[in-house]
Amino acid sequence: MNLLSARVPDTRVRRLSVTLYGYLFLSDLVLLYPVYVLLFSDTGLTVGQISALFVIWSVTAIVLEVPSGAWADAVSRRLLLCLAPLLTGACFALWVLAGSWWAFALGFVLWGAGGALGSGALEALVHTELDRLGAAGRYARTMGRGRTAGVLGVLASMVLAGPVLAAGGYRAVGAASVLSAVLAAAVATRFPEHRSVPPPTAPADGPAGPGWRAGLRAGLAGARADRRVRAAVLLVPAVTAVWGVLDEYAPLLARDTGVAASTVPLLLLPVWLGMTVGGLLAPAAERLTDRGYAALLTLAAVALAAGAAVRHPGGFLLLGVAFCALQLATVLADARLQDRITGPGRATVTSVAGMGTDLAMVVAYAGYPLVAATGGHPLAFVAAAVPYLLVAGVLAVSGRAGDHPVVPQRPTTSAAR
């Protein structure tokens, strides 16, 4: 292979990666992130009412998750990635312009719909394009860095949210969040997509490819029939759901330590710095076996419980360790799933895992206020560590029968390295 032909695939991989990083950074550059729970609380909502909003968010995603994944397999995945941030931007605008429980609820419906459109479509597009370039072995590395770019967006939001909130209130924070969403949609138009999709008038099972309903059936059948795929689908919500819920309540845990509201975003920085490191560690952790993965989850559970139990701002350093481990575990679970999926229904199967995550999150959202009402936010965080110890125990036991890598190593062409 001459030098020129070697550079072409590498340039295409780089273009895909840079677009992904920019898209995820802007999608998470949301100044409302660290303060929207405070907005709800300042509007007069109770913890129970806030949890009800989170349930609405998750139920919306559950209803739309798998159909949107099948839609992504049947039409342009890039189109769905353009639409997703526009819906979340509409959510933020509604919140700050018409602040009430019903406005917050409708906003979460929009945000849930946007999340469903992007979930599955993003992972499927990235894996498919990397595979086309002979670089499927770089998926965990690429997505790990992509998730880190998203975390950096959140970190930037935390640094900026306090000053912007102090200068212009919630409306200024909301306007900045809407702008970021519009910019993310613009970046999404730069995603490469080289995949045959059926035209809108094509028969459901015509030669142009599977239609929406046929793709949905094929994707669901693939998830059910293959035991390895089924296990990978189940691991994603087992790892992702609980800490995804805790992320929403972390500002309330921070304020319970006695700091001022404007200081809450800074107190959350260790948590998001931990997520940043977790995403970057993905390439080094790809060879973790099932028992090593179990040890990772155990570390996360212990750090999570200890960090919350101290009821002091310093405990957020331990929470940063926990969220670092959980971010890494999430990236590896996604890479394991993508490695095991075959066939054209990749976005659909990925969305099945996403729906499982949303269902588990509904349970967590319903349980959190019950525990918090009894022992406060610290006890709720401690209780949330228990599921990770259970999952770690199951993986440790299964690892004794055959301790295989969580993400099997796949060859990558020299041109795409």
Side-chain angles (χ1 to χ4, degrees):
M1 179 179 294
N2 61 43
L3 182 61
L4 178 61
S5 62
R7 283 178 177 172
V8 172
D10 186 65
T11 300
R12 292 172 181 174
V13 170
R14 189 179 298 112
R15 176 195 169 189
L16 171 64
S17 301
V18 171
T19 303
L20 173 68
Y21 305 157
Y23 179 76
L24 291 177
F25 176 82
L26 289 169
S27 295
D28 282 331
L29 184 62
V30 179
L31 271 62
L32 273 170
Y33 269 166
V35 298
Y36 72 76
V37 175
L38 304 181
L39 168 64
F40 299 161
S41 180
D42 291 344
T43 306
L45 273 60
T46 66
V47 174
Q49 289 174 316
I50 293 173
S51 294
L53 290 174
F54 292 150
V55 169
I56 290 172
W57 188 13
S58 294
V59 169
T60 302
I62 290 168
V63 172
L64 299 178
E65 185 80 50
V66 176
S68 68
W71 190 23
D73 284 329
V75 300
S76 169
R77 293 165 179 166
R78 178 172 56 200
L79 173 63
L80 269 62
L81 295 177
C82 292
L83 294 176
L86 295 179
L87 290 178
T88 59
C91 160
F92 303 144
L94 181 63
W95 281 358
V96 296
L97 294 176
S100 67
W101 189 90
W102 290 106
F104 298 147
L106 179 56
F108 269 126
V109 171
L110 292 171
W111 196 351
L117 288 181
S119 175
L122 179 65
E123 295 86 353
L125 184 148
V126 172
H127 191 280
T128 299
E129 291 299 315
L130 287 174
D131 191 44
R132 185 182 68 85
L133 296 172
R138 294 188 60 170
Y139 178 80
R141 177 192 302 268
T142 302
M143 288 303 296
R145 291 175 177 174
R147 298 304 176 192
T148 296
V151 172
L152 290 176
V154 177
L155 286 172
S157 300
M158 290 182 173
V159 172
L160 296 173
V164 174
L165 181 64
Y170 288 116
R171 289 205 170 190
V173 172
S177 301
V178 173
L179 176 60
S180 294
V182 173
L183 292 175
V187 170
T189 64
R190 301 292 300 165
F191 273 116
E193 186 172 23
H194 301 81
R195 185 176 62 96
S196 298
V197 295
T201 56
D205 295 292
W212 182 86
R213 292 183 180 85
L216 177 60
R217 289 194 299 269
L220 293 176
R224 288 195 305 265
D226 191 325
R227 181 179 60 84
R228 296 174 67 254
V229 173
R230 192 164 62 246
V233 165
L234 291 174
L235 182 63
V236 171
V239 171
T240 307
V242 174
W243 78 279
V245 168
L246 296 182
D247 172 36
E248 308 300 334
Y249 294 103
L252 298 178
L253 178 69
R255 190 156 68 173
D256 272 7
T257 64
V259 301
S262 59
T263 307
V264 166
L266 296 178
L267 190 56
L268 296 177
L269 282 177
V271 172
W272 291 94
L273 285 171
M275 293 187 207
T276 303
V277 175
L280 293 175
L281 287 176
E286 283 183 323
R287 290 182 173 82
L288 275 180
T289 62
D290 286 341
R291 283 188 288 184
Y293 193 80
L296 180 68
L297 292 180
T298 301
L299 169 65
V302 172
L304 179 65
V310 296
R311 300 172 181 257
H312 185 273
F316 275 78
L317 295 175
L318 284 173
L319 291 178
V321 173
F323 277 69
C324 171
L326 292 170
Q327 175 78 298
L328 176 58
T330 297
V331 172
L332 294 178
D334 171 49
R336 170 172 166 160
L337 174 62
Q338 297 302 323
D339 181 78
R340 294 184 177 185
I341 298 174
T342 58
R346 181 173 299 277
T348 305
V349 177
T350 305
S351 291
V352 171
M355 184 180 69
T357 299
D358 293 327
L359 285 168
M361 290 176 75
V362 168
V363 175
Y365 281 134
Y368 186 95
L370 297 178
V371 180
T374 302
H377 296 289
L379 179 61
F381 270 68
V382 171
V386 174
Y388 290 113
L389 292 176
L390 296 176
V391 175
V394 171
L395 289 172
V397 171
S398 64
R400 294 175 184 174
D403 205 15
H404 305 295
V406 175
V407 183
Q409 299 300 296
R410 295 181 59 176
T412 301
T413 62
S414 58
R417 287 196 185 104

PDB file of all heavy atoms in Angstrom, residues 71 73-75 196-215 217:
ATOM      1  N   TRP A  71     -36.240   3.167  13.038  1.00  0.00           N
ATOM      2  CA  TRP A  71     -36.301   4.253  12.063  1.00  0.00           C
ATOM      3  C   TRP A  71     -34.898   4.616  11.588  1.00  0.00           C
ATOM      4  O   TRP A  71     -34.661   4.852  10.396  1.00  0.00           O
ATOM      5  CB  TRP A  71     -36.999   5.461  12.700  1.00  0.00           C
ATOM      6  CG  TRP A  71     -37.345   6.558  11.727  1.00  0.00           C
ATOM      7  CD1 TRP A  71     -37.521   6.444  10.374  1.00  0.00           C
ATOM      8  CD2 TRP A  71     -37.525   7.947  12.032  1.00  0.00           C
ATOM      9  NE1 TRP A  71     -37.816   7.673   9.819  1.00  0.00           N
ATOM     10  CE2 TRP A  71     -37.829   8.609  10.809  1.00  0.00           C
ATOM     11  CE3 TRP A  71     -37.476   8.680  13.216  1.00  0.00           C
ATOM     12  CZ2 TRP A  71     -38.062   9.973  10.746  1.00  0.00           C
ATOM     13  CZ3 TRP A  71     -37.722  10.049  13.145  1.00  0.00           C
ATOM     14  CH2 TRP A  71     -38.007  10.684  11.928  1.00  0.00           C
ATOM     15  N   ASP A  73     -32.382   2.642  11.373  1.00  0.00           N
ATOM     16  CA  ASP A  73     -31.908   1.592  10.477  1.00  0.00           C
ATOM     17  C   ASP A  73     -32.563   1.681   9.104  1.00  0.00           C
ATOM     18  O   ASP A  73     -32.012   1.210   8.114  1.00  0.00           O
ATOM     19  CB  ASP A  73     -32.194   0.212  11.086  1.00  0.00           C
ATOM     20  CG  ASP A  73     -31.222  -0.133  12.207  1.00  0.00           C
ATOM     21  OD1 ASP A  73     -30.067   0.326  12.149  1.00  0.00           O
ATOM     22  OD2 ASP A  73     -31.631  -0.847  13.142  1.00  0.00           O
ATOM     23  N   ALA A  74     -33.781   2.281   9.052  1.00  0.00           N
ATOM     24  CA  ALA A  74     -34.528   2.330   7.804  1.00  0.00           C
ATOM     25  C   ALA A  74     -34.262   3.603   7.008  1.00  0.00           C
ATOM     26  O   ALA A  74     -34.430   3.618   5.786  1.00  0.00           O
ATOM     27  CB  ALA A  74     -36.029   2.222   8.089  1.00  0.00           C
ATOM     28  N   VAL A  75     -33.879   4.692   7.688  1.00  0.00           N
ATOM     29  CA  VAL A  75     -33.621   5.959   7.003  1.00  0.00           C
ATOM     30  C   VAL A  75     -32.207   6.430   7.352  1.00  0.00           C
ATOM     31  O   VAL A  75     -31.379   5.654   7.784  1.00  0.00           O
ATOM     32  CB  VAL A  75     -34.671   7.020   7.384  1.00  0.00           C
ATOM     33  CG1 VAL A  75     -36.069   6.554   6.994  1.00  0.00           C
ATOM     34  CG2 VAL A  75     -34.619   7.330   8.875  1.00  0.00           C
ATOM     35  N   SER A 196     -26.639   2.125   2.355  1.00  0.00           N
ATOM     36  CA  SER A 196     -27.835   2.083   1.512  1.00  0.00           C
ATOM     37  C   SER A 196     -29.073   2.056   2.379  1.00  0.00           C
ATOM     38  O   SER A 196     -29.222   1.202   3.252  1.00  0.00           O
ATOM     39  CB  SER A 196     -27.817   0.836   0.613  1.00  0.00           C
ATOM     40  OG  SER A 196     -26.706   0.875  -0.258  1.00  0.00           O
ATOM     41  N   VAL A 197     -29.959   3.038   2.162  1.00  0.00           N
ATOM     42  CA  VAL A 197     -31.230   3.069   2.886  1.00  0.00           C
ATOM     43  C   VAL A 197     -32.351   3.102   1.865  1.00  0.00           C
ATOM     44  O   VAL A 197     -32.205   3.644   0.777  1.00  0.00           O
ATOM     45  CB  VAL A 197     -31.326   4.304   3.806  1.00  0.00           C
ATOM     46  CG1 VAL A 197     -30.275   4.233   4.899  1.00  0.00           C
ATOM     47  CG2 VAL A 197     -31.169   5.587   3.015  1.00  0.00           C
ATOM     48  N   PRO A 198     -33.503   2.512   2.206  1.00  0.00           N
ATOM     49  CA  PRO A 198     -34.597   2.466   1.246  1.00  0.00           C
ATOM     50  C   PRO A 198     -35.237   3.831   1.072  1.00  0.00           C
ATOM     51  O   PRO A 198     -35.336   4.600   2.020  1.00  0.00           O
ATOM     52  CB  PRO A 198     -35.584   1.489   1.895  1.00  0.00           C
ATOM     53  CG  PRO A 198     -35.305   1.590   3.355  1.00  0.00           C
ATOM     54  CD  PRO A 198     -33.838   1.847   3.465  1.00  0.00           C
ATOM     55  N   PRO A 199     -35.663   4.163  -0.147  1.00  0.00           N
ATOM     56  CA  PRO A 199     -36.413   5.403  -0.321  1.00  0.00           C
ATOM     57  C   PRO A 199     -37.765   5.293   0.377  1.00  0.00           C
ATOM     58  O   PRO A 199     -38.238   4.196   0.652  1.00  0.00           O
ATOM     59  CB  PRO A 199     -36.581   5.508  -1.846  1.00  0.00           C
ATOM     60  CG  PRO A 199     -36.470   4.097  -2.334  1.00  0.00           C
ATOM     61  CD  PRO A 199     -35.506   3.418  -1.412  1.00  0.00           C
ATOM     62  N   PRO A 200     -38.431   6.433   0.677  1.00  0.00           N
ATOM     63  CA  PRO A 200     -39.690   6.378   1.412  1.00  0.00           C
ATOM     64  C   PRO A 200     -40.760   5.548   0.743  1.00  0.00           C
ATOM     65  O   PRO A 200     -41.634   5.009   1.406  1.00  0.00           O
ATOM     66  CB  PRO A 200     -40.110   7.856   1.484  1.00  0.00           C
ATOM     67  CG  PRO A 200     -38.836   8.623   1.322  1.00  0.00           C
ATOM     68  CD  PRO A 200     -37.994   7.799   0.430  1.00  0.00           C
ATOM     69  N   THR A 201     -40.698   5.412  -0.602  1.00  0.00           N
ATOM     70  CA  THR A 201     -41.740   4.677  -1.299  1.00  0.00           C
ATOM     71  C   THR A 201     -41.403   3.210  -1.491  1.00  0.00           C
ATOM     72  O   THR A 201     -42.159   2.473  -2.108  1.00  0.00           O
ATOM     73  CB  THR A 201     -41.988   5.313  -2.677  1.00  0.00           C
ATOM     74  OG1 THR A 201     -40.742   5.342  -3.400  1.00  0.00           O
ATOM     75  CG2 THR A 201     -42.481   6.752  -2.522  1.00  0.00           C
ATOM     76  N   ALA A 202     -40.268   2.743  -0.998  1.00  0.00           N
ATOM     77  CA  ALA A 202     -39.854   1.354  -1.208  1.00  0.00           C
ATOM     78  C   ALA A 202     -40.747   0.412  -0.443  1.00  0.00           C
ATOM     79  O   ALA A 202     -41.235   0.736   0.637  1.00  0.00           O
ATOM     80  CB  ALA A 202     -38.404   1.164  -0.769  1.00  0.00           C
ATOM     81  N   PRO A 203     -41.009  -0.804  -0.975  1.00  0.00           N
ATOM     82  CA  PRO A 203     -41.783  -1.787  -0.228  1.00  0.00           C
ATOM     83  C   PRO A 203     -41.081  -2.141   1.067  1.00  0.00           C
ATOM     84  O   PRO A 203     -39.868  -1.985   1.201  1.00  0.00           O
ATOM     85  CB  PRO A 203     -41.828  -2.995  -1.190  1.00  0.00           C
ATOM     86  CG  PRO A 203     -41.468  -2.449  -2.526  1.00  0.00           C
ATOM     87  CD  PRO A 203     -40.591  -1.273  -2.301  1.00  0.00           C
ATOM     88  N   ALA A 204     -41.842  -2.647   2.023  1.00  0.00           N
ATOM     89  CA  ALA A 204     -41.301  -2.950   3.354  1.00  0.00           C
ATOM     90  C   ALA A 204     -40.129  -3.908   3.279  1.00  0.00           C
ATOM     91  O   ALA A 204     -39.198  -3.812   4.059  1.00  0.00           O
ATOM     92  CB  ALA A 204     -42.402  -3.522   4.252  1.00  0.00           C
ATOM     93  N   ASP A 205     -40.171  -4.852   2.342  1.00  0.00           N
ATOM     94  CA  ASP A 205     -39.081  -5.817   2.238  1.00  0.00           C
ATOM     95  C   ASP A 205     -38.512  -5.811   0.824  1.00  0.00           C
ATOM     96  O   ASP A 205     -38.110  -6.847   0.305  1.00  0.00           O
ATOM     97  CB  ASP A 205     -39.564  -7.216   2.622  1.00  0.00           C
ATOM     98  CG  ASP A 205     -39.960  -7.296   4.074  1.00  0.00           C
ATOM     99  OD1 ASP A 205     -39.085  -7.185   4.939  1.00  0.00           O
ATOM    100  OD2 ASP A 205     -41.155  -7.473   4.327  1.00  0.00           O
ATOM    101  N   GLY A 206     -38.496  -4.657   0.217  1.00  0.00           N
ATOM    102  CA  GLY A 206     -38.035  -4.544  -1.161  1.00  0.00           C
ATOM    103  C   GLY A 206     -36.537  -4.657  -1.288  1.00  0.00           C
ATOM    104  O   GLY A 206     -35.804  -4.731  -0.308  1.00  0.00           O
ATOM    105  N   PRO A 207     -36.033  -4.598  -2.501  1.00  0.00           N
ATOM    106  CA  PRO A 207     -34.608  -4.791  -2.732  1.00  0.00           C
ATOM    107  C   PRO A 207     -33.747  -3.671  -2.184  1.00  0.00           C
ATOM    108  O   PRO A 207     -32.547  -3.837  -2.017  1.00  0.00           O
ATOM    109  CB  PRO A 207     -34.508  -4.856  -4.267  1.00  0.00           C
ATOM    110  CG  PRO A 207     -35.721  -4.118  -4.754  1.00  0.00           C
ATOM    111  CD  PRO A 207     -36.785  -4.402  -3.747  1.00  0.00           C
ATOM    112  N   ALA A 208     -34.334  -2.491  -1.919  1.00  0.00           N
ATOM    113  CA  ALA A 208     -33.529  -1.377  -1.425  1.00  0.00           C
ATOM    114  C   ALA A 208     -33.102  -1.569   0.010  1.00  0.00           C
ATOM    115  O   ALA A 208     -32.223  -0.883   0.486  1.00  0.00           O
ATOM    116  CB  ALA A 208     -34.315  -0.073  -1.552  1.00  0.00           C
ATOM    117  N   GLY A 209     -33.683  -2.514   0.725  1.00  0.00           N
ATOM    118  CA  GLY A 209     -33.314  -2.738   2.125  1.00  0.00           C
ATOM    119  C   GLY A 209     -34.553  -2.870   2.971  1.00  0.00           C
ATOM    120  O   GLY A 209     -35.670  -2.623   2.521  1.00  0.00           O
ATOM    121  N   PRO A 210     -34.425  -3.279   4.244  1.00  0.00           N
ATOM    122  CA  PRO A 210     -35.574  -3.484   5.097  1.00  0.00           C
ATOM    123  C   PRO A 210     -36.278  -2.182   5.418  1.00  0.00           C
ATOM    124  O   PRO A 210     -35.651  -1.156   5.663  1.00  0.00           O
ATOM    125  CB  PRO A 210     -34.957  -4.093   6.372  1.00  0.00           C
ATOM    126  CG  PRO A 210     -33.551  -3.598   6.382  1.00  0.00           C
ATOM    127  CD  PRO A 210     -33.157  -3.493   4.948  1.00  0.00           C
ATOM    128  N   GLY A 211     -37.599  -2.194   5.397  1.00  0.00           N
ATOM    129  CA  GLY A 211     -38.366  -1.042   5.807  1.00  0.00           C
ATOM    130  C   GLY A 211     -38.397  -0.928   7.317  1.00  0.00           C
ATOM    131  O   GLY A 211     -37.801  -1.730   8.032  1.00  0.00           O
ATOM    132  N   TRP A 212     -39.150   0.092   7.796  1.00  0.00           N
ATOM    133  CA  TRP A 212     -39.166   0.368   9.230  1.00  0.00           C
ATOM    134  C   TRP A 212     -39.671  -0.830  10.021  1.00  0.00           C
ATOM    135  O   TRP A 212     -39.037  -1.273  10.968  1.00  0.00           O
ATOM    136  CB  TRP A 212     -40.046   1.587   9.480  1.00  0.00           C
ATOM    137  CG  TRP A 212     -40.104   1.990  10.909  1.00  0.00           C
ATOM    138  CD1 TRP A 212     -39.234   2.810  11.554  1.00  0.00           C
ATOM    139  CD2 TRP A 212     -41.087   1.590  11.870  1.00  0.00           C
ATOM    140  NE1 TRP A 212     -39.609   2.955  12.873  1.00  0.00           N
ATOM    141  CE2 TRP A 212     -40.736   2.220  13.090  1.00  0.00           C
ATOM    142  CE3 TRP A 212     -42.215   0.780  11.827  1.00  0.00           C
ATOM    143  CZ2 TRP A 212     -41.485   2.041  14.251  1.00  0.00           C
ATOM    144  CZ3 TRP A 212     -42.962   0.611  12.978  1.00  0.00           C
ATOM    145  CH2 TRP A 212     -42.600   1.235  14.165  1.00  0.00           C
ATOM    146  N   ARG A 213     -40.816  -1.387   9.630  1.00  0.00           N
ATOM    147  CA  ARG A 213     -41.393  -2.502  10.395  1.00  0.00           C
ATOM    148  C   ARG A 213     -40.548  -3.767  10.264  1.00  0.00           C
ATOM    149  O   ARG A 213     -40.327  -4.479  11.247  1.00  0.00           O
ATOM    150  CB  ARG A 213     -42.823  -2.780   9.935  1.00  0.00           C
ATOM    151  CG  ARG A 213     -43.802  -1.662  10.284  1.00  0.00           C
ATOM    152  CD  ARG A 213     -45.227  -2.036   9.875  1.00  0.00           C
ATOM    153  NE  ARG A 213     -46.163  -0.980  10.208  1.00  0.00           N
ATOM    154  CZ  ARG A 213     -46.405   0.072   9.436  1.00  0.00           C
ATOM    155  NH1 ARG A 213     -45.763   0.208   8.279  1.00  0.00           N
ATOM    156  NH2 ARG A 213     -47.268   0.993   9.799  1.00  0.00           N
ATOM    157  N   ALA A 214     -40.073  -4.030   9.043  1.00  0.00           N
ATOM    158  CA  ALA A 214     -39.234  -5.214   8.859  1.00  0.00           C
ATOM    159  C   ALA A 214     -37.933  -5.084   9.635  1.00  0.00           C
ATOM    160  O   ALA A 214     -37.449  -6.052  10.236  1.00  0.00           O
ATOM    161  CB  ALA A 214     -38.941  -5.421   7.369  1.00  0.00           C
ATOM    162  N   GLY A 215     -37.355  -3.877   9.636  1.00  0.00           N
ATOM    163  CA  GLY A 215     -36.133  -3.661  10.403  1.00  0.00           C
ATOM    164  C   GLY A 215     -36.350  -3.820  11.892  1.00  0.00           C
ATOM    165  O   GLY A 215     -35.503  -4.352  12.611  1.00  0.00           O
ATOM    166  N   ARG A 217     -38.634  -5.750  13.322  1.00  0.00           N
ATOM    167  CA  ARG A 217     -38.781  -7.185  13.606  1.00  0.00           C
ATOM    168  C   ARG A 217     -37.431  -7.886  13.573  1.00  0.00           C
ATOM    169  O   ARG A 217     -37.122  -8.715  14.435  1.00  0.00           O
ATOM    170  CB  ARG A 217     -39.729  -7.831  12.598  1.00  0.00           C
ATOM    171  CG  ARG A 217     -41.199  -7.429  12.764  1.00  0.00           C
ATOM    172  CD  ARG A 217     -42.099  -8.362  11.965  1.00  0.00           C
ATOM    173  NE  ARG A 217     -41.795  -8.316  10.543  1.00  0.00           N
ATOM    174  CZ  ARG A 217     -42.384  -7.490   9.674  1.00  0.00           C
ATOM    175  NH1 ARG A 217     -43.297  -6.638  10.103  1.00  0.00           N
ATOM    176  NH2 ARG A 217     -42.072  -7.518   8.393  1.00  0.00           N
TER     177      ARG A 217
END
